Amino acid sequence: MTDLLSIDDLGAEGIAEVLRLTDSFVEVTNRPIPRVAALRGKTVVSLFFEDSTRTRLSFEAAAKRLGADVMTFSAGSSSLKKGESIRDTIQTIEAMGVDALVVRHASAGVPAQIARWASSVVINGGDGWHEHPTQALLDCYTIQQRLGSLEGRRVAIVGDVKHSRVARSDVKAFAALGADVTLVAPPTLLPPTLVGWPVGVEADLDQVVEKVDVLYLLRMQRERMTEALVPSLREYTARFGLTSERAARAEDAGAIVMHPGPMNRGVEIAAEVADRPNVVVVDQVRNGVPVRMAVLFLLLGSRRDLLDGPAGGVVGEVPEEAEADVRG
Ligand code: NCD
């Protein structure tokens, strides 16, 4: 694998490899100095053409904790505003000497297009409605951490599936690891066709809240809607929102609740529900850093030879140099 554009680039084995490697990087992130030298000398650029809080900061933290240099590009304050094309922008950035580009764009396919132009590694940080592979990886890691494994687990993905790149990557990743996935949404918020999607569909959230291990809520992505797809937000919340009453039923049945963020409290999730102990949103964010360390290491790791050894050995060996580095 030279780029990570879609969950398809990894498949079940690749996902499992990232998750195994993540354990080692969780150990690193828990150290007093959470830094290793594995990517010393490498430069990672975050190239965000669309807003982000979690994904950009998480990739930048991951790259720094691996000892890489980080450069940040924000479309809003760049020469794109003066009419420079994306292709020329990429050429300009690459001329400075970079090893990886983490790309987010509002249009599907832009990271793949950039991968054709660029000689650096390209990682998709979310493209339009298409995919968000590292979100799916951190979601798999979080489920595995809480429930042991995804095999045979029942996962409901609830809400605006139509506009969600997270849902598209999650469905592929969860199904690849053996989960049984159901989409819960009004027909207007489902994709026009579900041919090839390994999922069931249910229109009534009340039928699933007590039957699943994971309730995965999606944000109502109003910025991507060009027409009124729900009669009103109040009605959406009444039918598909995680109200206190539904949350209590799900919690009693042992389900965890997930959300990729940013949450709209009061729309897809009741304000007071978001802070309940079975809501693992903060774990998802926390796990995002070591998961992205694993992805960067796999794609850029100059110590690939160490990957064949036990996972603990991978970072067990590299960090000592790093600690000397940091202290001395
Ligand atoms: C999501 C995104 O931007 O794709 N957030 C994220 O990266 N964690 C989901 C969303 O915008 O609803």
Side-chain angles (χ1 to χ4, degrees):
M1 183 176 60
T2 50
D3 299 304
L4 177 58
L5 303 173
S6 158
I7 281 293
D8 299 330
D9 295 332
L10 290 167
E13 274 182 26
I15 298 170
E17 187 178 6
V18 172
L19 302 187
R20 271 196 306 275
L21 194 53
T22 300
D23 283 333
S24 314
F25 290 117
V26 166
E27 188 269 311
V28 172
T29 51
N30 289 335
R31 292 182 193 174
I33 301 172
R35 219 178 158 96
V36 295
L39 295 188
R40 192 164 49 191
K42 305 275 185 193
T43 300
V44 176
V45 180
S46 58
L47 199 61
F48 278 60
F49 299 93
E50 195 198 85
D51 296 345
S52 168
T53 299
R54 277 151 283 267
T55 307
R56 186 170 61 75
L57 290 177
S58 175
F59 265 112
E60 292 179 0
K64 287 178 185 167
R65 288 175 193 184
L66 289 168
D69 293 321
V70 174
M71 299 199 301
T72 304
F73 168 91
S74 296
S77 55
S78 75
S79 289
L80 284 172
K81 290 260 173 206
K82 300 179 185 166
E84 189 166 39
S85 69
I86 293 183
R87 188 171 192 162
D88 286 340
T89 304
I90 299 299
Q91 199 178 39
T92 303
I93 292 171
E94 283 207 302
M96 297 177 198
V98 306
D99 300 284
L101 302 166
V102 181
V103 181
R104 167 169 288 193
H105 199 282
S107 299
V110 171
Q113 180 59 57
I114 289 177
R116 285 190 284 273
W117 291 327
S119 48
S120 352
V121 163
V122 177
I123 302 173
N124 183 359
D127 61 331
W129 309 357
H130 177 226
E131 281 223 36
H132 193 349
T134 58
Q135 178 71 40
L137 292 167
L138 73 89
D139 288 337
C140 288
Y141 191 80
T142 306
I143 296 175
Q144 195 178 281
Q145 196 175 48
R146 284 287 181 138
L147 305 178
S149 139
L150 275 96
E151 183 64 46
R153 294 294 182 181
R154 293 152 306 171
V155 182
I157 299 183
V158 186
D160 185 5
V161 179
K162 180 174 177 160
H163 301 99
S164 177
R165 54 193 174 212
V166 172
R168 283 171 180 77
S169 291
D170 271 349
V171 163
K172 288 179 183 177
F174 295 169
L177 298 188
D180 174 4
V181 184
T182 303
L183 305 180
V184 185
T188 49
L189 291 181
L190 286 173
T193 169
L194 288 172
V195 173
W197 288 53
V199 294
V201 177
E202 169 61 61
D204 186 354
L205 180 57
D206 288 307
Q207 294 300 316
V208 306
V209 280
E210 282 145 313
K211 295 190 193 140
V212 293
D213 302 297
V214 179
L215 269 176
Y216 196 107
L217 309 177
L218 297 170
R219 184 173 65 88
M220 283 291 273
Q221 293 142 97
R222 278 171 282 180
E223 77 280 11
R224 301 199 178 122
M225 295 183 193
T226 50
E227 53 190 334
L229 296 174
V230 289
S232 71
L233 276 185
R234 188 194 291 229
E235 184 171 327
Y236 174 84
T237 303
R239 288 191 55 208
F240 295 97
L242 192 62
T243 57
S244 299
E245 183 273 325
R246 287 186 184 122
R249 282 164 53 211
E251 194 173 329
D252 288 346
I256 58 168
V257 174
M258 303 178 75
H259 192 301
M263 284 188 285
N264 284 318
R265 289 185 191 235
V267 181
E268 63 268 0
I269 186 163
E272 66 280 9
V273 169
D275 304 311
R276 298 198 57 79
N278 65 327
V279 177
V280 300
V281 172
V282 177
D283 294 354
Q284 290 170 266
V285 177
R286 187 179 301 115
N287 290 332
V289 176
V291 163
R292 292 180 171 112
M293 289 170 83
V295 167
L296 288 167
F297 185 81
L298 279 173
L299 289 169
L300 286 175
S302 47
R303 305 290 300 269
R304 275 167 201 274
D305 50 312
L306 294 174
L307 285 177
D308 296 331
V314 174
V315 270
E317 196 160 322
V318 183
E320 279 169 23
E321 283 175 40
E323 280 175 10
D325 219 8
V326 174
R327 289 175 193 156

